[in-house]
Amino acid sequence: AAVPAPLLALAVGLRTLNCFLVQTSFVPDEYWQSLEVAHRMLFMILNILNYGYLTWEWANRLRGYSYPLIFASIYKALQLLGKDDVQLLIWVPRLAQTVLAAFADVKLYSLVQHLENAETAKCVFFCQLCSWFTWYSCTRTLTNTMETILTVFALSYYPIKGSKMGNSWKYLALVALAIVIRPTAVIPWMPLVFSHFLQERRKADLILQNCIPVGLVTVGTSLIIDRVFFGEWVLVQLNFLKFNVLQNLGTFYGSHPWHWYFTQGLPVILGTHLPFFIHGCVLAPKRYHIFLTAVIWTVLVYSTLSHKEFRFIYPVLPFCMFFCGYSLKHLKAWKKSAASFLLLSNLIPALYTGLVHQRGTLDVMSHIQQLCSNSDQSQPFVFIVMPCHSTPLYSHIHCPLKMRFLHCPPDLTGNESYIDEADLFYSNPLGWLDKEFYNDTLLPSHLILFNVLEQEISSFLALRGYEKTATIFHTHVPQGRVGSHIYVYRRKTEMNH
């Protein structure tokens, strides 16, 4: 079924609005595994020292360059057009992600229209556009976002029983691409591919003519891209799975009880769609059970890993929206009230998380950016004294400013007494600063910190002549080392001379 043009225009328009109404930070990976890498790939080549930083995952070959390459290409195009202005470097990659997200919304619509009818398709499309978590995540430069978008694209070619749109080659190629970008994409597709294999008459053909060629081409391309940028042959997908699944080293970033995805993860990302999802699962005909199987299987597999995050199960959200829409369509007399309820109940969390919650770490970048055009004779040196990777880095300032932040790579050597720099700092902030900057000539010109730290290091700030120049709102729910506001401190110039 051809996609109606007005529908695509509506999706692109809405997602573009969505993009500009999301001005908060979600997780560090949004920049550190995509934009920062891309910025370094392109601008580091110009031989500017210290212009870019790669996290420990890159040093240990856990990530591949295929995804950042997309953004590096966008940066290159902007550079060739003489438009590599910092605002464009920030927004154009997100707008590219936005267009893909809009296409995914429309693909979901056309899939349901083909499987069911236009009315059900409209209901699913409506639920998809209403979802607060999709709104919050779909325009971000996260590998999870790309994984979700490619999953929807692949789903639209998946040969489900009774569908004539199935195309083994296309859907397998999209799944393979998703796995190259984020190896965990293999999880939701396991039951789907297995089910397809069982119902396929020509099993040998499927493997020999589809699976193997698609696998070889995608893995080959990924290997070549990584060979170019790492300078050696490396299969990053294998390293990624070894680290996260076999060694379960993700626990370094926190662990949660086994039931977390069932009791918190899925209910939170579904939000007020939850009752509709359950209702839709009960109603939906047997041939859609494979979608539900994919959701349950994915949540179960992720539940076995101790490090858990909301975004990990984001790729199953479109499957859930299918059931929500199915439920909405069958609510007959209640349909209008149910739709209004979904819209209003999702609007508040979508706008709040997109515009208010955790925005300080991005807002502070524009303050740092102003130091690039510093007319002062002294070279500015910015030290971000916050939990590591709290803010993006060069991708959001685009000038070779001297910057430093606290590091926190996990220990990969099996050293029992290992403590990372950030933990070391927080165990005694004042002592750490005194030891690190024993000589006044080493002092940073600017310190960026959360308000919760100010009290502890107030004597250092006073003694070394720092004054507060900006206060930036961050969140209404400060936790631990993350405060409600960010302070910018500048060292008084007369102390420098």
Side-chain angles (χ1 to χ4, degrees), residues 316-459:
V316 300
L317 205 52
F319 292 88
C320 299
M321 290 306 135
F322 176 84
F323 293 102
C324 298
Y326 201 85
S327 155
L328 191 61
K329 188 221 170 225
H330 288 85
L331 286 175
K332 306 273 190 296
W334 292 94
K335 199 157 100 182
K336 274 214 166 86
S337 342
S340 310
F341 164 73
L342 272 177
L343 184 63
L344 293 170
S345 60
N346 277 276
L347 197 61
I348 297 155
L351 291 173
Y352 180 77
T353 55
L355 291 168
V356 183
H357 179 60
Q358 294 183 0
R359 66 169 298 141
T361 49
L362 289 182
D363 289 345
V364 77
M365 296 315 287
S366 53
H367 284 262
I368 299 176
Q369 225 271 301
Q370 287 159 12
L371 301 174
C372 290
S373 51
N374 194 349
S375 50
D376 239 355
Q377 289 311 303
S378 58
Q379 179 68 33
F381 167 25
V382 179
F383 188 13
I384 301 166
V385 204
M386 294 157 107
C388 57
H389 306 123
S390 289
T391 64
L393 211 65
Y394 294 107
S395 66
H396 281 57
I397 57 166
H398 193 48
C399 78
L401 194 66
K402 187 180 178 194
M403 287 169 84
R404 179 176 172 187
F405 59 92
L406 298 169
H407 293 221
C408 60
D411 169 50
L412 301 170
T413 59
N415 174 2
E416 289 294 310
S417 57
Y418 172 79
I419 303 176
D420 65 66
E421 186 181 46
D423 282 342
L424 214 55
F425 167 80
Y426 281 104
S427 62
N428 177 10
L430 200 56
W432 190 93
L433 287 169
D434 283 335
K435 192 173 151 193
E436 193 71 16
F437 303 112
Y438 58 90
N439 184 333
D440 274 12
T441 55
L442 303 170
L443 283 169
S445 61
H446 293 75
L447 288 175
I448 301 194
L449 52 122
F450 279 119
N451 56 337
V452 285
L453 185 66
E454 187 186 43
Q455 203 60 49
E456 282 197 71
I457 62 166
S458 54
S459 60

Side-chain angles (χ1 to χ4, degrees), residues 143-152 154 171-172 174-193 237 240-241 245 294 297-298 301-302 312 315-316 319:
T143 49
N144 310 84
T145 300
M146 192 58 106
E147 180 191 353
T148 306
I149 288 169
L150 289 170
T151 292
V152 176
Y171 103 82
L172 287 168
L174 287 157
V175 171
L177 188 58
I179 294 168
V180 162
I181 286 173
R182 194 171 172 85
T184 50
V186 73
I187 300 169
W189 281 100
M190 276 176 176
L192 289 156
V193 172
Q237 291 78 17
F240 182 90
L241 289 170
V245 181
W297 163 257
T298 304
V301 171
Y302 274 119
F312 293 170
V316 300
F319 292 88

